[in-house]
Amino acid sequence: MTMTIPTTPTSYHHGNLRQELMNLAVKHLISDGIGELSLRALAREIGVSQTAPYRHFKDKNALLAALATEGFSRFFEFCLPSEREPRADLSLLYFGLGYVQFAKTHTELFHLMFGPVLQPRNDYPELFAMGREAIYKVRASVERGYKTGVLRELDDVASMAHTVWAAVHGVATLMLDHGDTYGYHRDLDLQAEKSLRMMIAGFCTDPTEISQLPTTLTPYPPEPTE
Amino acid sequence: MTMTIPTTPTSYHHGNLRQELMNLAVKHLISDGIGELSLRALAREIGVSQTAPYRHFKDKNALLAALATEGFSRFFEFCLPSEREPRADLSLLYFGLGYVQFAKTHTELFHLMFGPVLQPRNDYPELFAMGREAIYKVRASVERGYKTGVLRELDDVASMAHTVWAAVHGVATLMLDHGDTYGYHRDLDLQAEKSLRMMIAGFCTDPTEISQLPTTLTPYPPEPTE
DNA sequence: ATGCAATGTTGACAGCGATTATATCGGGTG
DNA sequence: CACCCGATATAATCGCTGTCAACATTGCAT
């Protein structure tokens, strides 16, 4: 009887199936996309019966929802620079840059979190809550921007936050879903950042800070390393 | 031997299968969504064998691509007010409003046309061309706006058009995919229009025209009539 | 008329999500 | 210690799907 930690458990009960399913699912999500992900394939690869996953997830969408929820945790890390930035206008810019960066490096998770696959959201309360949390972060920045006078008070806080969100969301999704309409170049990253700056600058009382901030382009390419 | 026009053909050959498949597919797309659409179900409902559709579409995605391509034709009609408007800034606003309106009334088509389902676009040349045609329309407006001096020359025409596109696209997709994060109200339409105006106004030398134009809200609700 | 390309049919295969009933484990209670 | 119960995994199965290969029918051009 092996007493090793069950990395390769020989026992009847796997013991860590839920987590292992999610880990493997993320991998397949990255390499094959949402549509190709199959519960059966996951179970097969882990070496467990094809119905075992159903002990941990009510159905396939429940697994996807769990992935998306976990994805939000990673997403919030991408937005950390935004929360640490005291200037509200720069904070919004950092939020946008983090948003785009996340979309680029976790494309399939992004589609899961922000796309139409898991709808209506009411069926996934945790996921719903995560979305709310995200928008609240933007609202906080906008409110701060109003108080400090760096943002133009074009509308109430909620509406303004929604607008900022829409701007950022548009840049990111357009980059993902229509990137090949323009060709997949470094230009795309650059264009995304330019678009972000243009729009956010339009919300500022003094746009010079936004335009003067040095570019945050990450070393290109992340290029599918094969 | 009935000589009636084959609305209900009794002959071996259907004669109009391709078009009928597409019509029925659109219907099912509206009521059931992309994921639920099944070639077999379509064939069954039309009263034809389950493999007959493959004489007209290489695979399921080919049918979806055809739908998306056809969808662009309808889409361009929604943008007609934009092309008829001589003032370039208002033209962009109309483009955005048409875009949002289309997304709301043809949600599933919208997801097909602008979402990640049919990717890479290289596999669907006509679809690809349609996307290009759309962006060219925006570019034309931007160029006109530069020449007439109503748009601020924040960047070159292509970049500026991309940015406008991103703004509009963000408003529409956020409305569709995160509408229930805020609740499905008339407020959503209103918010979309406000966001559009805010962003486009930021691109104008004189934003008063944009903000003074009367609201274009259509009678609410389209409400699932069921 | 005849032959060919386009169109539709039949039958089959593998893969999928999901359900039901059954087997195995492990921890807490007597 | 023995026992039982809940949590977990299994086996067998259903109905559905996309897709393929081989065959049947049609209409049009020659």
Side-chain angles (χ1 to χ4, degrees):
Chain A
M1 179 189 295
T2 60
M3 287 300 280
T4 59
I5 289 134
T7 51
T8 313
T10 58
S11 64
Y12 186 94
H13 283 66
H14 181 281
N16 198 23
L17 186 53
R18 183 186 167 95
Q19 195 53 51
E20 193 155 348
L21 276 170
M22 291 186 63
N23 294 343
L24 191 60
V26 168
K27 264 188 217 164
H28 277 107
L29 213 55
I30 292 170
S31 57
D32 301 338
I34 295 175
E36 308 303 317
L37 192 117
S38 138
L39 289 189
R40 292 169 95 108
L42 291 179
R44 212 179 305 135
E45 191 166 342
I46 292 180
V48 88
S49 95
Q50 59 192 22
T51 55
Y54 286 87
R55 287 292 138 192
H56 300 276
F57 302 100
K58 184 198 148 211
D59 56 22
K60 187 181 176 179
N61 271 1
L63 168 60
L64 293 180
L67 292 181
T69 305
E70 200 189 55
F72 263 105
S73 308
R74 307 192 193 188
F75 171 72
F76 288 139
E77 292 172 16
F78 275 75
C79 299
L80 282 184
S82 157
E83 299 192 19
R84 282 200 275 263
E85 168 58 49
R87 276 191 65 117
D89 50 352
L90 298 186
S91 169
L92 290 182
L93 179 60
Y94 285 139
F95 174 77
L97 290 170
Y99 202 95
V100 168
Q101 188 74 17
F102 179 84
K104 204 176 66 180
T105 57
H106 297 83
T107 306
E108 297 296 333
L109 268 182
F110 182 86
H111 280 137
L112 226 41
M113 293 157 56
F114 298 106
V117 178
L118 299 170
Q119 260 174 351
R121 287 291 198 283
N122 309 316
D123 300 346
Y124 314 97
E126 300 148 1
L127 195 54
F128 184 86
M130 287 298 212
R132 298 288 284 219
E133 194 174 333
I135 184 70
Y136 286 146
K137 286 181 191 296
V138 181
R139 283 190 192 171
S141 286
V142 169
E143 201 162 11
R144 196 148 41 87
Y146 280 0
K147 280 184 182 153
T148 56
V150 299
L151 288 185
R152 302 167 60 200
E153 294 199 36
L154 298 167
D155 206 331
D156 61 282
V157 172
S159 279
M160 193 68 216
H162 185 103
T163 303
V164 170
W165 183 284
V168 171
H169 189 69
V171 169
T173 55
L174 195 62
M175 181 172 169
L176 291 188
D177 299 341
H178 283 263
D180 52 0
T181 303
Y182 306 97
Y184 183 47
H185 301 313
R186 179 188 194 98
D187 294 348
L188 257 186
D189 302 314
L190 204 126
Q191 178 61 58
E193 186 161 350
K194 285 206 293 187
S195 293
L196 278 179
R197 284 178 196 252
M198 268 191 254
M199 294 201 255
I200 294 177
F203 304 147
C204 295
T205 51
D206 176 16
T208 55
E209 288 288 334
I210 291 291
S211 40
Q212 280 172 6
L213 201 74
T215 181
T216 66
L217 277 185
T218 53
Y220 186 86
E223 280 286 291
T225 56
E226 213 290 333
Chain B
M1 180 189 295
T2 60
M3 287 300 278
T4 58
I5 287 131
T7 52
T8 311
T10 58
S11 63
Y12 186 91
H13 282 66
H14 182 282
N16 199 23
L17 187 51
R18 182 186 167 96
Q19 195 53 50
E20 192 154 350
L21 275 170
M22 291 188 62
N23 294 342
L24 192 59
V26 168
K27 264 188 216 165
H28 277 104
L29 213 54
I30 291 170
S31 56
D32 301 337
I34 296 175
E36 309 303 316
L37 193 120
S38 139
L39 288 188
R40 291 172 96 108
L42 292 179
R44 212 177 304 135
E45 191 166 343
I46 292 181
V48 88
S49 94
Q50 59 194 19
T51 54
Y54 284 86
R55 290 293 140 192
H56 301 275
F57 302 99
K58 182 200 149 211
D59 56 20
K60 188 180 176 181
N61 271 0
L63 168 60
L64 293 180
L67 292 181
T69 304
E70 200 189 56
F72 264 105
S73 307
R74 306 193 195 188
F75 170 72
F76 288 138
E77 292 172 17
F78 275 74
C79 298
L80 283 183
S82 157
E83 299 192 18
R84 282 199 275 262
E85 168 59 49
R87 275 191 64 116
D89 50 352
L90 298 186
S91 168
L92 290 182
L93 180 60
Y94 285 140
F95 174 76
L97 290 169
Y99 202 95
V100 169
Q101 187 74 16
F102 179 84
K104 205 176 66 179
T105 57
H106 297 82
T107 305
E108 298 295 333
L109 268 183
F110 182 86
H111 279 139
L112 226 42
M113 294 157 56
F114 298 107
V117 179
L118 300 171
Q119 259 173 350
R121 287 292 199 282
N122 309 317
D123 300 346
Y124 314 98
E126 300 149 0
L127 195 52
F128 183 87
M130 287 298 210
R132 299 286 286 218
E133 193 173 334
I135 184 69
Y136 286 147
K137 287 180 191 296
V138 181
R139 284 189 192 170
S141 286
V142 169
E143 199 160 13
R144 195 148 42 86
Y146 280 180
K147 280 182 183 154
T148 56
V150 299
L151 288 185
R152 303 167 58 202
E153 294 198 37
L154 298 168
D155 206 330
D156 61 281
V157 172
S159 279
M160 192 68 216
H162 185 102
T163 303
V164 170
W165 183 283
V168 170
H169 190 69
V171 169
T173 56
L174 195 63
M175 180 171 170
L176 291 188
D177 297 342
H178 282 263
D180 52 2
T181 304
Y182 306 96
Y184 183 47
H185 301 314
R186 180 188 193 97
D187 295 348
L188 257 186
D189 302 315
L190 205 124
Q191 178 61 57
E193 186 160 351
K194 284 207 294 188
S195 293
L196 277 178
R197 283 179 197 252
M198 268 191 254
M199 295 203 255
I200 295 178
F203 304 146
C204 295
T205 51
D206 175 17
T208 56
E209 288 288 334
I210 291 290
S211 41
Q212 281 172 6
L213 202 74
T215 181
T216 66
L217 277 186
T218 53
Y220 185 85
E223 283 284 288
T225 55
E226 206 285 335

